[in-house]
Amino acid sequence: MKTLPWLNPTRAHALQDALAARILLMDGAMGTMIQRHELDEAAYRGERFALGYDGLRAPEAEAGHAHGEGCGCARDQRGNNDLLSLTRPEVISGIHAEYLAAGADLIETNTFNSTTISLADYGLEHLAYELNATGARLARAACDAAEALDPSRPRFVIGVLGPTSRTASLSPDVNRPGYRAVTFDELRIAYREATDGLIDGGADVIMVETIFDTLNAKAAVFAVEEAFDARGARLPLMISGTITDASGRTLSGQTAEAFWYSLRHVQPMAIGLNCALGAKDLRAHVDVLAQVADAYVSAHPNAGLPNAFGGYDETPEDMAAVLSEFAEAGLLNLVGGCCGSTPAHIAAIAAAIKDMEPRRLPTLVSAAA
């Protein structure tokens, strides 16, 4: 990947310069903020999907809709947060703006589930490219607006590729351990379409995040490399896994160290961990990455562990105190929040890590030496 030139050299060099100078701040949870708007089914559908189908795409919209399997009419769209980029773009833009105002340097696109595989749950597979391109454009506009207010501080768009709703390494059927609900090529094709949309929409970085299955991640980075090769240029790549429980492993069974070595060959700009655990429980695993990775290290944990009602109780001050200890220990290059975090959390983290030195990339000794 490093043999290709940067697709946007000015933006890539600005990001590299910023990473060398200080710890960069990512944004927080999108879903948590969307929930605060208390949107109903009609709000999610908007005018375009109000009649139960895509009014811009379905030819039957002109002559009356013909119901049928896969048309999506009977499927609720409430909770399909990525769809809001099309039906309520002002909500998504407003959330981006709040995080930027809180101090975020990097904003993630609202595209976590915008692959054909995940969108199949809503009968909206045909929107995959459009959702990624639109999600990137909304984040790009928000970053450009913030940067215009302070040109000395560039703001960057992270194009998000989520894990999908399927796993390539494990069987969903305990009675058929050899069965797989998705193939590597199906994942690769889905991720390629999403990546093309993110690039065309103006993303500065591509991030494969919340990885619970390394084989899914390998399909994603393969697709990303295909997209770069087709353009003859590349964007910086970030990878972020998720430790699923107290075992300290991903769902597919890897430790943080094994996860890094499984993906090191793609030479990501940054490797990190997010979701599943709160910052306190994530600390040991981020420490491992900081020791073994010759890439920048990121962490965007949840605001603690979910409570009995599915909420998150860790206050901005609590979360900031823990993450500032990460920074003080020299573990971080990028930091932000995942589930349960808000602009208040990001603002508190920004204040806590202000003027702290970023982690310096280690010079690792090879086995041959």
Side-chain angles (χ1 to χ4, degrees), residues 130-168:
E130 184 181 2
L131 283 172
N132 282 282
T134 302
R137 290 188 190 105
L138 292 175
R140 172 83 278 142
C143 284
D144 289 348
E147 195 169 323
L149 296 175
D150 182 3
S152 68
R153 185 180 176 188
R155 309 295 184 102
F156 304 95
V157 175
I158 299 176
V160 170
L161 297 173
T164 81
S165 53
R166 299 182 186 177
T167 170

Side-chain angles (χ1 to χ4, degrees), residues 270-294:
I271 186 82
L273 297 171
N274 74 287
C275 204
L277 303 177
K280 290 180 181 178
D281 295 314
L282 206 60
R283 167 67 160 80
H285 311 299
V286 174
D287 198 335
V288 167
L289 286 179
Q291 293 180 52
V292 301
D294 53 353

Side-chain angles (χ1 to χ4, degrees), residues 41 45 59 74 195 258 266 360 362:
E41 177 72 11
R45 287 185 174 276
T195 302
V266 301
R360 299 300 172 187

